[in-house]
Amino acid sequence: MSDAILIIGGGIAGINAALNAGDYGCKVYLIDDTASIGGMMARLDKTFPTNDCSICIESPLMYEVDNHPNIEILTNTEVRRVKKENGTFTVRLLKKAKFIDEERCTGCGSCVEACPVSVPDELDGKIGGMRKLIFMPFPQAVPNVSVIDPRCRYGKMRELGACVGGCVVDCSQCRECPIALCVKACKEEGKDAVVLWQADRPMDIEIKSIIVATGIRSAEPDTGLYGYNIYGNVITYIQFERLMNAGGPTAGEIIRPSDKKHAQKIAWIQCAGRGLTKGLPYCSKVCCMVATKQTIITKEHDASTETLVFYNDLKAYGKGFWGFYQKAIENGVRYIRARPYDVSEDPKTKNLTIRYEDLDTAEIEEVEVELLVLSTGLVPSERNKRLAKVLKIELDNLGFFKEKDPMLAPLETGVEGIYVCGGATGPIDISESVVQASAASMKAVLK
Amino acid sequence: MNENIRVGVFVCDCGSNIAGIVNVPEVVEYTKGLKHVAFADEGKWSCSVDYLAKMKELIKENDLNRVVIASCTPRTHEPLFKRTVKEAGVNPYLLEFVSIREQVSWVHRADPSKATEKVKDLVRMGVAKAVLLEEGEEIRLSVKTDCLVIGGGMAGMTAALNIADQGFHAILVEKESRLGGLLNRLSVVCHDHVKLEAAEIVKAKVALVESHQNIKVYTNAEIEAVEGYIGNYKVTLKANGSNETFDASTVIVATGMQEIEPVGQFQYGSDPRVVTQVQLEGLLRGDEVGQVKDVVIVNCVNSKNESRGCCTIGCSVSVKNALALKMLNKDIRVDILYRDLSMVREEGSDLETAKRAGVKFIRFPDDRYPEVTKEDGNLGVRVYDILLGKEFTLPSDLVVLTTGFKGDDTCEAIKGHLKVSTNPDGFFQEAHIKLGPLDFPSDGISLCGCARSPKNLKDSCEEGAGAAMRASIPMKRGYLEAEGIVADIDLDVCNSCGLCAKNCPYGAIKWEDEKPNVIKALCKGCGLCAADCPKNAISIIHYSDEQILAQVDAALEERPEEKIIGFVCHWCALGGVDMAGVSRLQYPTNARLIRVMCSARVAIKFIERAFELGAAGVLVAGCEFPTCHYITGNYAAEERIKRAKKRLARKGYDPEKLWNVWCSAADGPKFANTMRDMVKELGLE
Ligand SMILES: Cc1cc2nc3c(=O)[nH]c(=O)nc-3n(C[C@H](O)[C@H](O)[C@H](O)COP(=O)(O)OP(=O)(O)OC[C@H]3O[C@@H](n4cnc5c(N)ncnc54)[C@H](O)[C@@H]3O)c2cc1C
Ligand SMILES: Cc1cc2nc3c(=O)[nH]c(=O)nc-3n(C[C@H](O)[C@H](O)[C@H](O)COP(=O)(O)OP(=O)(O)OC[C@H]3O[C@@H](n4cnc5c(N)ncnc54)[C@H](O)[C@@H]3O)c2cc1C
Ligand code: SF4
Ligand code: SF4
């Protein structure tokens, strides 16, 4: 029987599960369907409740995984088919082309410099983040290689000035390219690692157990929610997180989208988009502490910035969380127990007026701020549905993976040998993800 | 040093990434002239498969016994080159990595000639260190497969079962007369609509534990002593009146928690109708609630105040028990007085059920707790309802207090045995709250369940399994391995002052026969002990005083007055330096950086030496607080820098020329700005 383990999702949960199982002596395949491992944590600035820098504590683990003799990382890789026989899973993986020879690319960035087209970044676009059509997922990416926007190859970016596309044949038909500037730049570096004609590569592996660690997403609010997507200075909490981050699109300057000025008065609306009839029907657990963290860091950047948090019930449930909240209050953060019901924009200043009912006084009040942050909650990965189908395990009504018996057999799914951990089980913070990853890896190696 | 030292230097072009700015051929020529350098080569892509193969050949052909690689950054590429030199037959500890892409070509694009000069200096520094390098090896400490589990609640039992299922041996020690912990005192346990009798859960688990051939259970047992370290614990136990001693390789702490009894508050202790949640659970369990009509539950008792946070489980316990009372008799009036309802995803639905069942929720202000009143023998609870904006008194014949929690009474003793720490409430302190939640700083001891912090049953059991995994890794491998970068004490010089043993964050220095003894496999090589040893008795392999001072000397051989010596920690500070590189932030060329594992390694004598030799300035760079790869090394470094400044002043140097920066791995701009500021303030522009 195979002694190998497949871990699906390379966020902090997947990374920890991989290191545990790898150190234990099992062969581990760690796959992620994006171009790098790291997950959400790689994009965060600091982490509550200690304000440790997120990438500082995560990237050493990413390098450790990368250099681990028992762990094989497969990025841009999806699970396509799973068959279980006599306790062994046969899994068909599909490694989707990055159009880069991962063995040859050294991540030097010459191709990126050569690429003529910048487009808004998937994550940071709204707050000014741009990337080229060939790009590094983020500076600490593992594997540290470039990846090409697949749209580029099919000529879909021609009108933006992309160099390739519009040829009589598709890139997949060629074996060299005289046109693409990235190909040329890489050749000039002597590497020749850009392979526009690279094909997806199927791969079959045999394993004894599977850990699902596909994580969470930050919810994207509907257009119009508190003026989101209508007023330029209404952003989500993940976008704010990126604004604070020295490695983000503004190099850590907390500037608002409309005029790139430092915001001097910022409000957070908690539970934005949450409701019993419409929107998220549950509490996402981490948002109160995320907002608390964001206010503290904002104050660290500039103590004179005014910060207001509109909240309903404060979730300060974990170890060290209450003290963290106390620290925010000491730093002058104002928490207002309130139900905001309307936001409007001053067309001239682009400032936002929030009208709310103060739940402590039952008064209707209003306040003007320069930047509004919506704490929109955590939702399951939209790819969970497909994965659940392939793995033949169930999702709950919210789209998270269902545990067969959460109380007595936590992290076990309906199929023996398949376990879940981290955000894949529901909203969760980093430390709980790490705990679950250790537990899931225990179950997986014991299989 | 009798051996014939032959250093090989490999300078990488990184395509045009380095060679486009730095005159690599000139560097190679220069290098060949350095003492002990037997060979130097330029590689277009040093990390390519072709060149690595060539490098191995060249190492063998030229009989090289020291290797210096000048290329990108050790943070990503050092493991690769270490493997390569090893394959070429050279001990990997004889490799020195010099970063010339992130630290030079990417950040000094405007000045190729100065960049080239800087690379020459950096390579010279690398060679100076390489010459002094000594062979090293990973250090192994053998670990057998006996695991001591302290505490027989659900977390401890789960951990023991997971250990035992691997064929390892678990010794489960419980101080009470039976296993089960808190669950022995609860009525039903509820999670996400599912309700189970606590007694049933315990019964099933205990059956598994007691029938497992690999688990030895001691009840009514007290830990008298635990001595030693991973792989070598000696445990003394007092069980049923007699003492017993056995060996263990690893330890799991699962000692659970207790309610903080609110004696003297809310009439608790003076009126039997005022109880805690655990007491209510006991009444429910024994069907002894009796004929009550009006129950008032007060949440957040002794929680969420200056000294203590949220009790984590109180809200859902209060909702569960309110529903249980309603089930008993739907006419019982139940009011829950609360501050915030801290109920997450799966618990939210229970809340709705409770509301539908007629449980009333009344929110009171944070600074105005309800009061329990007694008039003519009748109990009442006076509460200010925020929503209604008024105060009233609820009549009550049973008041239930949802109290805060603390660690087990024995935590002080356990702390002493295992040399670990707790927070003021007696909950054990994990190695790292985010990434090491189940570990203690010392290898071999893990932590789980409510001994760490209050949590529900699911989380406690997850932690039990997780802690078992952490303990199992070294048991499965049969050893604990440390990188060869470790402390080494010269006992002839040591005067037994004890400072090192006191300061080591990992408890790696044990006191044996009045002398310190480094348990090498436990040492993480931070160098804190060496930097502070008053007798200079401690050396860190691969980062010895001699080696670091040789780098300082080499850096300042020429025009020291233009140079800034920077000591940067391998983790965040070098991460920040690399980030500045990746982001192509441009800054002046004056710095000559010396890598140390932790800023705590930087001894005052290193700083002094730089000033003696005429350096323009010195920079110490470490991780931004509170992050430190070695728990608290940067705090120690900060203290030491203060002392260094005083000493510099006494010796007539300008203390203002000693700078420090605490920077995160994302913070390229911070490092680049520091360089610019230093150059400006030191008048080097
Ligand atoms: C704005 C914001 C701030 C936060 N701040 C904090 C904080 O300060 N402290 C804290 O403790 N927590 C914080 N969190 C929560 C934290 O991000 C999560 O707890 C953590 O990231 C969960 O880790 P994970 O590994 O489970 O999931 P993720 O980090 O989401 O990783 C999942 C990985 O799986 C991959 N994946 C998904 N689907 C598939 C598939 N089908 N096939 C292959 N791969 C797949 C994804 O690409 C991703 O790489 C914050 C969250 C947000 C949104
Ligand atoms: C009132 C109440 C209601 C609850 N209701 C629910 C619920 O409905 N749903 C839910 O999911 N969770 C509930 N919980 C939480 C749940 O009970 C805990 O998560 C779980 O029992 C914790 O298990 P543990 O093993 O970590 O700790 P414990 O159960 O406290 O076990 C610790 C054990 O260690 C022993 N011990 C301590 N020190 C030593 C020592 N020095 N040497 C030897 N042995 C020692 C103790 O005697 C004890 O047996 C509730 C908790 C309380 C207080
Ligand atoms: S600090 Fe130095 S002198 Fe003091 S005990 Fe340790 S090694 Fe000996
Ligand atoms: S180097 Fe650090 S870990 Fe090692 S003994 Fe010294 S203080 Fe302890």
Side-chain angles (χ1 to χ4, degrees), chain B residues 465-514:
Chain B
M469 183 65 185
R470 301 300 298 156
S472 297
I473 291 170
M475 298 200 292
K476 172 79 180 175
R477 301 176 80 173
Y479 57 85
L480 176 78
E481 189 172 74
E483 226 191 330
I485 301 172
V486 291
D488 190 30
I489 303 183
D490 183 345
L491 291 180
D492 294 338
V493 185
C494 166
N495 69 355
S496 300
C497 72
L499 198 64
C500 53
K502 188 169 132 263
N503 285 348
C504 174
Y506 299 97
I509 302 181
K510 305 284 175 201
W511 213 246
E512 284 168 20
D513 302 332
E514 318 262 294

Side-chain angles (χ1 to χ4, degrees), chain B residues 257-274:
Chain B
M257 64 175 185
Q258 302 173 332
E259 275 184 329
I260 299 170
E261 287 198 78
V263 178
Q265 296 168 285
F266 303 95
Q267 311 267 355
Y268 179 86
S270 62
D271 192 307
R273 289 168 296 177
V274 180

Side-chain angles (χ1 to χ4, degrees), chain A residues 407, chain B residues 150-157 173-176 178-183 186 188-191 221-223 254-259 277-278 281 313 316-317 320-321 405 408 410-411 414 448-451 455-458 460:
Chain A
M407 197 165 25
Chain B
I150 310 175
M154 289 300 284
M157 285 195 285
V173 177
E174 168 58 52
K175 63 171 188 178
E176 303 286 334
R178 57 188 180 137
L179 300 171
L182 270 173
L183 251 50
L186 304 187
V188 293
V189 184
C190 179
H191 187 91
E222 195 184 328
I223 306 269
T255 49
M257 64 175 185
Q258 302 173 332
E259 275 184 329
Q277 288 287 1
V278 169
E281 297 257 5
I313 58 171
S316 40
V317 170
K320 173 185 77 171
N321 287 339
F405 298 99
D408 192 88
T410 60
C411 73
I414 300 289
C448 59
C450 293
K455 51 182 59 76
N456 66 26
L457 180 62
K458 176 182 195 291
S460 296

Side-chain angles (χ1 to χ4, degrees), chain B residues 396-408:
Chain B
S396 172
D397 45 17
L398 182 65
V399 176
V400 183
L401 305 176
T402 310
T403 65
F405 298 99
K406 59 178 188 192
D408 192 88

